[in-house]
Amino acid sequence: ISHCEMHRNKGKAVEVFHGQKIICIENSFLENILENSASRGAGLFIQICENIAIINTTFGYNRASTGGGVYVENSGYVSSNTNAFFNNEAKLGAAIELYNCRSAINKKCTFFHNSVENYGIVALRCKIIIIVQVIFKFNVFHGLNYGIIIDSAYIVFNSNNSFIQNNLLTGNLV
């Protein structure tokens, strides 16, 4: 998927099942809305894929119950590099949720003005997670728990990450 604009869909903009390799480069996922209370991944939904690379892609104003911008489940390696996530909304994982993935790297991404009702602007539940040079700014956490969910056996959380004026009503940021 390259150089595409997926805007104003009333369903998932892109849905992929059982892929070997998915490369998503320089795309735009804007204003994709899922109204169903069990909806996942308004912008990008991927399930059972071995290698996923999301690069230089914008996710904005997407809304779903889980994984407003991106939802990936039961997959292998997920790389998110130099992506922008802004004004996405969800009950869990407003910008991105990775569930039951082998490993994830999130590098040089920005998360601005995302809003989550219960848990996690970012919800990463993988065996190995690496977060490097990521900016979290002006995000709003309405829930009673964590602003960022990281559930992993092995975590690398680089000191070059930035957390700027995020509004956490109660609970912990990470």
Side-chain angles (χ1 to χ4, degrees), residues 40-104:
R40 300 175 293 171
L44 181 59
F45 176 94
I46 300 172
Q47 189 174 51
I48 310 172
C49 183
E50 191 55 36
N51 292 296
I52 301 163
I54 305 169
I55 305 162
N56 290 336
T57 295
T58 301
F59 296 89
Y61 298 96
N62 298 294
R63 186 173 66 225
S65 178
T66 302
V70 176
Y71 181 86
V72 178
E73 178 178 75
N74 298 326
S75 293
Y77 174 75
V78 182
S79 173
S80 177
N81 196 336
T82 60
N83 298 305
F85 297 86
F86 61 91
N87 294 93
N88 296 290
E89 296 179 21
K91 291 179 182 176
L92 172 63
I96 184 170
E97 178 172 6
L98 306 181
Y99 179 75
N100 196 30
C101 296
R102 193 175 319 114
S103 64

Side-chain angles (χ1 to χ4, degrees), residues 87-144:
N87 294 93
N88 296 290
E89 296 179 21
K91 291 179 182 176
L92 172 63
I96 184 170
E97 178 172 6
L98 306 181
Y99 179 75
N100 196 30
C101 296
R102 193 175 319 114
S103 64
I105 183 166
N106 199 327
K107 185 175 181 183
K108 295 184 179 180
C109 292
T110 56
F111 297 88
F112 293 104
H113 294 283
N114 296 287
S115 178
V116 67
E117 186 176 317
N118 292 330
Y119 306 101
I121 292 298
V122 175
L124 306 175
R125 295 180 284 182
C126 306
K127 292 178 182 159
I128 300 170
I129 298 172
I130 301 169
I131 300 176
V132 180
Q133 295 177 314
V134 173
I135 299 171
F136 294 92
K137 189 172 183 178
F138 303 128
N139 296 291
V140 178
F141 312 99
H142 298 286
L144 301 174

